[in-house]
Amino acid sequence: MTDTIASLSAYDDASLDQAFRGLTDEVRGAAAQLSTAETQENFRLDWLGRKQGRLKLLSESWLKTAPPEAKKSLGMRFNALKNEIEAALAVEPAGTKSTGPSIDLSLPGIRRNIGLEHPLTRTMREMTAVFAALGYSVGVGPEVESDFYNFEALNFPPNHPARDTQDTLVVADQDTKPLRERLLMRTHTSPVQIRSMIESAPPLRIVIPGKVHRNDESDATHSPIFHQVEGLCVDTNITFSDLKGTLDYAMKAFFGSSVKTRFFPSFFPFTEPSADVQISCPFCGQKGCRKCKYSGWIELLGCGMVDPAVFAAVDARRIENGLEPAYDTKKISGFAFGMGVERIAMMKYGVGDIGQFYSGDLRFLSQFV
Ligand code: DAH
């Protein structure tokens, strides 16, 4: 097809313009006819084909033979022609699927919703933040724990009935190990208290959000996997009044300043004395409602003063690890507390079935904006 390209005789702007105008007109004429993928492909081959394409031939017969001083103005026109061809190819022929980057601005847009925090994550974060603002640091620990951290150091002796309350899921094939090394799924976040104290000498203020596991049948209020927020404060002169003041403050910060707290004797192996904490119902102002079972009070968490046996177990392990003992009960004391996140979130948001949290159902989750 080389013979279809006339040779250039003059290189002044007017002559070049004239030579290229014809080509541009041809491109535009052909571009207007590109109604199918096939005509588009033929057009592409005709102009851009690697061996016999007209641009290639033009480049050979015009560009290469041009005198050096004309190459720039020739090149510019050549590129403009090429752009024209490429623009024609970028337009999608009617009735074909999209192959290129073309965008149909007449179509409605695709809305991509911004994700939002899961209600459990949010409850845990908000609860943790209340204590972080009091100077607590945030601690985490493993979900697969040893018997030592989950039970022994927390003053649950082997075979003690208090272990029965924990419905423990154990890891298989651990029987050949000494009891304290056997692995299990942690049943509470309290082992992180032990890990933190073994690692750091007092003063210690730590809040521990985390996932825990129990061999519980699922029903509307139970799930074998759930979450807790734990707290621990150890320092000189820490008293039960500090515990009461801290938790009273935290409950007010979380549920509103009119909430009252009250403490009842309870039992946990790792605290002595131990207490259960109730808050005045923040939903009905104690008039009585379903959430407080018409009693005006809601039981929310367990707490107590850290048992000296716990400090002793911590110091024994610190010594085994080559650290100085640091939890001498003549010098320090501490309090601890723990609460269930699902229970609090269910109450706060009026969720009737714990399974909703784990369903991944957007109709449920998108309500927590
Ligand atoms: N670990 C307890 C449980 O899961 C909850 C708890 C109670 C934690 C009292 C504490 C505490 O730190 O002082 O049943």
Short mmCIF file of all heavy atoms in Angstrom, two decimals, residues 156-201:
data_model
loop_
_atom_site.label_atom_id
_atom_site.label_comp_id
_atom_site.label_asym_id
_atom_site.label_seq_id
_atom_site.Cartn_x
_atom_site.Cartn_y
_atom_site.Cartn_z
N PHE A 156 -7.09 -21.50 91.44
CA PHE A 156 -8.03 -22.61 91.27
C PHE A 156 -7.19 -23.88 91.45
O PHE A 156 -6.52 -24.28 90.49
CB PHE A 156 -8.60 -22.67 89.85
CG PHE A 156 -9.56 -21.60 89.43
CD1 PHE A 156 -9.10 -20.33 89.04
CD2 PHE A 156 -10.92 -21.87 89.33
CE1 PHE A 156 -9.99 -19.37 88.58
CE2 PHE A 156 -11.81 -20.89 88.86
CZ PHE A 156 -11.35 -19.64 88.50
N PRO A 157 -7.19 -24.49 92.60
CA PRO A 157 -6.37 -25.70 92.74
C PRO A 157 -6.91 -26.82 91.86
O PRO A 157 -8.09 -26.79 91.49
CB PRO A 157 -6.52 -26.07 94.23
CG PRO A 157 -7.15 -24.88 94.87
CD PRO A 157 -7.91 -24.16 93.82
N PRO A 158 -6.06 -27.84 91.52
CA PRO A 158 -6.55 -28.97 90.72
C PRO A 158 -7.78 -29.58 91.43
O PRO A 158 -7.79 -29.67 92.66
CB PRO A 158 -5.39 -29.95 90.74
CG PRO A 158 -4.19 -29.14 91.08
CD PRO A 158 -4.67 -27.98 91.90
N ASN A 159 -8.75 -29.95 90.67
CA ASN A 159 -9.96 -30.60 91.19
C ASN A 159 -10.83 -29.72 92.09
O ASN A 159 -11.79 -30.20 92.67
CB ASN A 159 -9.62 -31.90 91.95
CG ASN A 159 -8.84 -32.86 91.08
OD1 ASN A 159 -9.20 -33.05 89.91
ND2 ASN A 159 -7.77 -33.43 91.60
N HIS A 160 -10.49 -28.45 92.21
CA HIS A 160 -11.35 -27.58 93.02
C HIS A 160 -12.68 -27.35 92.30
O HIS A 160 -12.69 -27.14 91.08
CB HIS A 160 -10.65 -26.24 93.27
CG HIS A 160 -11.32 -25.40 94.32
ND1 HIS A 160 -12.45 -24.68 94.06
CD2 HIS A 160 -11.02 -25.19 95.64
CE1 HIS A 160 -12.83 -24.05 95.18
NE2 HIS A 160 -11.96 -24.35 96.15
N PRO A 161 -13.78 -27.39 93.03
CA PRO A 161 -15.09 -27.23 92.37
C PRO A 161 -15.23 -25.91 91.61
O PRO A 161 -16.04 -25.82 90.68
CB PRO A 161 -16.11 -27.31 93.52
CG PRO A 161 -15.32 -27.42 94.78
CD PRO A 161 -13.91 -27.74 94.45
N ALA A 162 -14.46 -24.89 91.98
CA ALA A 162 -14.56 -23.61 91.26
C ALA A 162 -14.22 -23.79 89.78
O ALA A 162 -14.68 -23.03 88.93
CB ALA A 162 -13.65 -22.56 91.88
N ARG A 163 -13.41 -24.82 89.46
CA ARG A 163 -13.10 -25.07 88.05
C ARG A 163 -14.34 -25.48 87.26
O ARG A 163 -14.43 -25.22 86.06
CB ARG A 163 -12.05 -26.18 87.93
CG ARG A 163 -10.67 -25.73 88.34
CD ARG A 163 -9.65 -26.82 88.07
NE ARG A 163 -8.31 -26.32 88.33
CZ ARG A 163 -7.25 -26.58 87.57
NH1 ARG A 163 -7.37 -27.36 86.53
NH2 ARG A 163 -6.08 -26.08 87.87
N ASP A 164 -15.29 -26.13 87.95
CA ASP A 164 -16.49 -26.60 87.25
C ASP A 164 -17.29 -25.44 86.68
O ASP A 164 -18.00 -25.60 85.69
CB ASP A 164 -17.41 -27.39 88.21
CG ASP A 164 -16.74 -28.66 88.69
OD1 ASP A 164 -15.70 -29.03 88.11
OD2 ASP A 164 -17.25 -29.27 89.64
N THR A 165 -17.20 -24.29 87.32
CA THR A 165 -17.99 -23.15 86.85
C THR A 165 -17.48 -22.64 85.51
O THR A 165 -18.12 -21.81 84.88
CB THR A 165 -17.94 -21.98 87.85
OG1 THR A 165 -16.59 -21.50 87.89
CG2 THR A 165 -18.37 -22.40 89.24
N GLN A 166 -16.31 -23.10 85.10
CA GLN A 166 -15.69 -22.50 83.92
C GLN A 166 -15.93 -23.28 82.63
O GLN A 166 -15.52 -22.82 81.55
CB GLN A 166 -14.18 -22.32 84.16
CG GLN A 166 -13.87 -21.41 85.34
CD GLN A 166 -13.86 -19.93 84.99
OE1 GLN A 166 -13.35 -19.56 83.95
NE2 GLN A 166 -14.42 -19.11 85.84
N ASP A 167 -16.57 -24.45 82.70
CA ASP A 167 -16.94 -25.20 81.48
C ASP A 167 -15.83 -25.18 80.43
O ASP A 167 -16.03 -24.69 79.31
CB ASP A 167 -18.24 -24.63 80.88
CG ASP A 167 -19.39 -24.71 81.85
OD1 ASP A 167 -19.61 -25.80 82.40
OD2 ASP A 167 -20.04 -23.67 82.10
N THR A 168 -14.70 -25.73 80.81
CA THR A 168 -13.49 -25.54 80.00
C THR A 168 -13.45 -26.44 78.76
O THR A 168 -13.75 -27.64 78.84
CB THR A 168 -12.26 -25.84 80.88
OG1 THR A 168 -12.43 -25.16 82.10
CG2 THR A 168 -11.00 -25.40 80.18
N LEU A 169 -13.05 -25.86 77.63
CA LEU A 169 -12.74 -26.63 76.43
C LEU A 169 -11.23 -26.88 76.44
O LEU A 169 -10.45 -25.92 76.40
CB LEU A 169 -13.13 -25.84 75.18
CG LEU A 169 -14.64 -25.66 74.94
CD1 LEU A 169 -14.89 -24.52 73.98
CD2 LEU A 169 -15.26 -26.95 74.42
N VAL A 170 -10.84 -28.15 76.49
CA VAL A 170 -9.40 -28.43 76.57
C VAL A 170 -8.86 -28.83 75.20
O VAL A 170 -9.61 -29.32 74.35
CB VAL A 170 -9.08 -29.53 77.61
CG1 VAL A 170 -9.50 -29.08 79.00
CG2 VAL A 170 -9.75 -30.85 77.24
N VAL A 171 -7.58 -28.62 75.00
CA VAL A 171 -6.92 -29.04 73.77
C VAL A 171 -6.62 -30.54 73.89
O VAL A 171 -6.23 -31.01 74.96
CB VAL A 171 -5.63 -28.21 73.54
CG1 VAL A 171 -4.85 -28.72 72.33
CG2 VAL A 171 -5.99 -26.73 73.37
N ALA A 172 -6.80 -31.29 72.80
CA ALA A 172 -6.64 -32.74 72.84
C ALA A 172 -5.19 -33.15 73.06
O ALA A 172 -4.26 -32.37 72.80
CB ALA A 172 -7.15 -33.35 71.53
N ASP A 173 -5.00 -34.36 73.55
CA ASP A 173 -3.68 -35.01 73.66
C ASP A 173 -2.69 -34.24 74.52
O ASP A 173 -1.52 -34.09 74.16
CB ASP A 173 -3.06 -35.22 72.25
CG ASP A 173 -3.95 -36.09 71.40
OD1 ASP A 173 -4.62 -36.98 71.97
OD2 ASP A 173 -3.99 -35.87 70.18
N GLN A 174 -3.14 -33.75 75.66
CA GLN A 174 -2.26 -33.02 76.56
C GLN A 174 -1.95 -33.85 77.83
O GLN A 174 -1.22 -33.39 78.70
CB GLN A 174 -2.93 -31.71 77.01
CG GLN A 174 -3.30 -30.79 75.87
CD GLN A 174 -2.09 -30.11 75.28
OE1 GLN A 174 -1.36 -29.40 75.97
NE2 GLN A 174 -1.85 -30.35 74.01
N ASP A 175 -2.50 -35.08 77.89
CA ASP A 175 -2.48 -35.83 79.15
C ASP A 175 -1.09 -36.21 79.63
O ASP A 175 -0.88 -36.45 80.81
CB ASP A 175 -3.32 -37.12 79.03
CG ASP A 175 -4.72 -36.81 78.54
OD1 ASP A 175 -5.05 -35.60 78.44
OD2 ASP A 175 -5.47 -37.74 78.24
N THR A 176 -0.13 -36.27 78.72
CA THR A 176 1.21 -36.68 79.15
C THR A 176 1.98 -35.53 79.77
O THR A 176 3.02 -35.74 80.39
CB THR A 176 2.01 -37.23 77.95
OG1 THR A 176 1.99 -36.22 76.94
CG2 THR A 176 1.41 -38.52 77.40
N LYS A 177 1.48 -34.31 79.64
CA LYS A 177 2.18 -33.15 80.22
C LYS A 177 1.79 -32.98 81.68
O LYS A 177 0.70 -33.38 82.08
CB LYS A 177 1.78 -31.87 79.48
CG LYS A 177 2.22 -31.78 78.05
CD LYS A 177 1.74 -30.44 77.52
CE LYS A 177 2.11 -30.22 76.07
NZ LYS A 177 1.46 -29.01 75.55
N PRO A 178 2.65 -32.32 82.46
CA PRO A 178 2.23 -31.93 83.80
C PRO A 178 0.99 -31.04 83.70
O PRO A 178 0.88 -30.26 82.73
CB PRO A 178 3.41 -31.12 84.35
CG PRO A 178 4.55 -31.37 83.43
CD PRO A 178 4.00 -31.86 82.12
N LEU A 179 0.08 -31.12 84.67
CA LEU A 179 -1.20 -30.41 84.59
C LEU A 179 -1.04 -28.94 84.23
O LEU A 179 -1.72 -28.41 83.36
CB LEU A 179 -1.95 -30.53 85.94
CG LEU A 179 -3.29 -29.80 86.01
CD1 LEU A 179 -4.28 -30.35 84.99
CD2 LEU A 179 -3.88 -29.84 87.41
N ARG A 180 -0.08 -28.26 84.88
CA ARG A 180 0.02 -26.80 84.68
C ARG A 180 0.43 -26.42 83.26
O ARG A 180 0.21 -25.30 82.82
CB ARG A 180 1.02 -26.21 85.67
CG ARG A 180 2.36 -26.91 85.65
CD ARG A 180 3.50 -26.13 86.27
NE ARG A 180 3.19 -25.40 87.48
CZ ARG A 180 4.09 -24.61 88.09
NH1 ARG A 180 5.31 -24.49 87.57
NH2 ARG A 180 3.77 -23.97 89.18
N GLU A 181 0.99 -27.38 82.51
CA GLU A 181 1.40 -27.06 81.13
C GLU A 181 0.37 -27.44 80.09
O GLU A 181 0.52 -27.17 78.91
CB GLU A 181 2.71 -27.79 80.81
CG GLU A 181 3.91 -27.18 81.49
CD GLU A 181 5.16 -28.04 81.35
OE1 GLU A 181 5.26 -28.80 80.36
OE2 GLU A 181 6.01 -27.97 82.26
N ARG A 182 -0.69 -28.12 80.54
CA ARG A 182 -1.69 -28.57 79.55
C ARG A 182 -2.43 -27.38 78.96
O ARG A 182 -2.75 -26.42 79.66
CB ARG A 182 -2.69 -29.53 80.21
CG ARG A 182 -2.03 -30.84 80.58
CD ARG A 182 -3.00 -31.84 81.13
NE ARG A 182 -2.25 -32.85 81.86
CZ ARG A 182 -2.76 -33.75 82.66
NH1 ARG A 182 -4.07 -33.77 82.87
NH2 ARG A 182 -1.99 -34.62 83.29
N LEU A 183 -2.69 -27.47 77.67
CA LEU A 183 -3.32 -26.35 76.96
C LEU A 183 -4.84 -26.46 76.96
O LEU A 183 -5.41 -27.55 76.94
CB LEU A 183 -2.82 -26.29 75.52
CG LEU A 183 -1.32 -26.05 75.37
CD1 LEU A 183 -0.92 -26.06 73.89
CD2 LEU A 183 -0.91 -24.72 76.02
N LEU A 184 -5.47 -25.31 76.98
CA LEU A 184 -6.93 -25.23 76.94
C LEU A 184 -7.30 -23.91 76.29
O LEU A 184 -6.45 -23.05 76.07
CB LEU A 184 -7.49 -25.31 78.38
CG LEU A 184 -6.78 -24.48 79.46
CD1 LEU A 184 -7.23 -23.04 79.45
CD2 LEU A 184 -7.05 -25.08 80.83
N MET A 185 -8.58 -23.75 75.95
CA MET A 185 -9.05 -22.46 75.45
C MET A 185 -9.35 -21.61 76.68
O MET A 185 -10.07 -22.07 77.58
CB MET A 185 -10.32 -22.64 74.60
CG MET A 185 -10.15 -23.57 73.41
SD MET A 185 -8.72 -23.20 72.39
CE MET A 185 -9.21 -21.62 71.70
N ARG A 186 -8.79 -20.41 76.75
CA ARG A 186 -8.99 -19.65 77.98
C ARG A 186 -10.49 -19.42 78.23
O ARG A 186 -11.24 -19.13 77.29
CB ARG A 186 -8.24 -18.32 77.94
CG ARG A 186 -8.79 -17.30 76.97
CD ARG A 186 -8.04 -15.97 77.11
NE ARG A 186 -8.54 -15.00 76.17
CZ ARG A 186 -7.92 -13.87 75.85
NH1 ARG A 186 -6.77 -13.55 76.39
NH2 ARG A 186 -8.46 -13.04 74.98
N THR A 187 -10.88 -19.58 79.47
CA THR A 187 -12.30 -19.46 79.81
C THR A 187 -12.63 -18.05 80.29
O THR A 187 -13.78 -17.72 80.50
CB THR A 187 -12.66 -20.44 80.92
OG1 THR A 187 -11.85 -20.15 82.07
CG2 THR A 187 -12.42 -21.87 80.48
N HIS A 188 -11.61 -17.25 80.52
CA HIS A 188 -11.80 -15.86 80.94
C HIS A 188 -10.55 -15.06 80.57
O HIS A 188 -9.54 -15.63 80.14
CB HIS A 188 -12.14 -15.76 82.44
CG HIS A 188 -11.22 -16.53 83.36
ND1 HIS A 188 -11.37 -16.52 84.73
CD2 HIS A 188 -10.16 -17.34 83.13
CE1 HIS A 188 -10.44 -17.28 85.29
NE2 HIS A 188 -9.71 -17.79 84.35
N THR A 189 -10.62 -13.74 80.72
CA THR A 189 -9.46 -12.91 80.38
C THR A 189 -8.51 -12.77 81.59
O THR A 189 -7.44 -12.18 81.47
CB THR A 189 -9.91 -11.51 79.91
OG1 THR A 189 -11.01 -11.08 80.71
CG2 THR A 189 -10.33 -11.52 78.46
N SER A 190 -8.90 -13.35 82.73
CA SER A 190 -8.08 -13.21 83.94
C SER A 190 -6.64 -13.72 83.79
O SER A 190 -5.74 -13.17 84.45
CB SER A 190 -8.77 -13.90 85.12
OG SER A 190 -10.08 -13.39 85.26
N PRO A 191 -6.35 -14.77 82.97
CA PRO A 191 -4.94 -15.17 82.84
C PRO A 191 -4.03 -14.03 82.37
O PRO A 191 -2.82 -14.06 82.65
CB PRO A 191 -4.97 -16.30 81.81
CG PRO A 191 -6.35 -16.38 81.29
CD PRO A 191 -7.25 -15.73 82.27
N VAL A 192 -4.59 -13.04 81.70
CA VAL A 192 -3.74 -11.93 81.24
C VAL A 192 -3.30 -11.07 82.44
O VAL A 192 -2.25 -10.42 82.40
CB VAL A 192 -4.44 -11.09 80.15
CG1 VAL A 192 -3.47 -10.08 79.54
CG2 VAL A 192 -5.01 -11.98 79.06
N GLN A 193 -4.09 -11.10 83.53
CA GLN A 193 -3.62 -10.48 84.78
C GLN A 193 -2.30 -11.09 85.20
O GLN A 193 -1.34 -10.39 85.53
CB GLN A 193 -4.60 -10.76 85.93
CG GLN A 193 -5.90 -10.03 85.91
CD GLN A 193 -6.67 -10.29 87.22
OE1 GLN A 193 -6.06 -10.53 88.27
NE2 GLN A 193 -7.98 -10.24 87.16
N ILE A 194 -2.26 -12.43 85.19
CA ILE A 194 -1.06 -13.15 85.64
C ILE A 194 0.12 -12.83 84.71
O ILE A 194 1.22 -12.50 85.16
CB ILE A 194 -1.32 -14.67 85.65
CG1 ILE A 194 -2.55 -15.00 86.50
CG2 ILE A 194 -0.09 -15.44 86.13
CD1 ILE A 194 -2.44 -14.61 87.96
N ARG A 195 -0.15 -12.92 83.40
CA ARG A 195 0.93 -12.63 82.44
C ARG A 195 1.47 -11.21 82.63
O ARG A 195 2.68 -11.00 82.58
CB ARG A 195 0.40 -12.79 81.00
CG ARG A 195 0.11 -14.23 80.63
CD ARG A 195 -0.37 -14.38 79.21
NE ARG A 195 -0.45 -15.80 78.87
CZ ARG A 195 0.58 -16.50 78.41
NH1 ARG A 195 1.74 -15.91 78.18
NH2 ARG A 195 0.45 -17.79 78.15
N SER A 196 0.58 -10.26 82.88
CA SER A 196 1.02 -8.86 83.03
C SER A 196 1.88 -8.70 84.28
O SER A 196 2.88 -7.99 84.28
CB SER A 196 -0.17 -7.92 83.13
OG SER A 196 -1.08 -8.17 82.10
N MET A 197 1.45 -9.35 85.37
CA MET A 197 2.20 -9.18 86.63
C MET A 197 3.55 -9.90 86.59
O MET A 197 4.52 -9.41 87.15
CB MET A 197 1.36 -9.68 87.82
CG MET A 197 0.20 -8.76 88.15
SD MET A 197 -0.60 -9.13 89.72
CE MET A 197 -1.66 -10.48 89.27
N ILE A 198 3.58 -11.05 85.89
CA ILE A 198 4.88 -11.73 85.77
C ILE A 198 5.84 -10.85 84.97
O ILE A 198 7.03 -10.77 85.26
CB ILE A 198 4.71 -13.14 85.14
CG1 ILE A 198 3.98 -14.05 86.13
CG2 ILE A 198 6.06 -13.73 84.74
CD1 ILE A 198 3.60 -15.39 85.59
N GLU A 199 5.30 -10.16 84.00
CA GLU A 199 6.14 -9.34 83.13
C GLU A 199 6.56 -8.03 83.80
O GLU A 199 7.70 -7.59 83.65
CB GLU A 199 5.38 -9.05 81.84
CG GLU A 199 6.27 -8.73 80.67
CD GLU A 199 5.44 -8.62 79.41
OE1 GLU A 199 4.97 -9.67 78.92
OE2 GLU A 199 5.23 -7.49 78.94
N SER A 200 5.63 -7.39 84.53
CA SER A 200 5.92 -6.04 85.05
C SER A 200 5.71 -5.95 86.56
O SER A 200 4.69 -6.44 87.06
CB SER A 200 5.01 -5.00 84.39
OG SER A 200 4.95 -5.20 83.02
N ALA A 201 6.63 -5.27 87.21
CA ALA A 201 6.47 -4.99 88.64
C ALA A 201 5.43 -3.88 88.82
O ALA A 201 5.19 -3.10 87.89
CB ALA A 201 7.82 -4.57 89.21
#
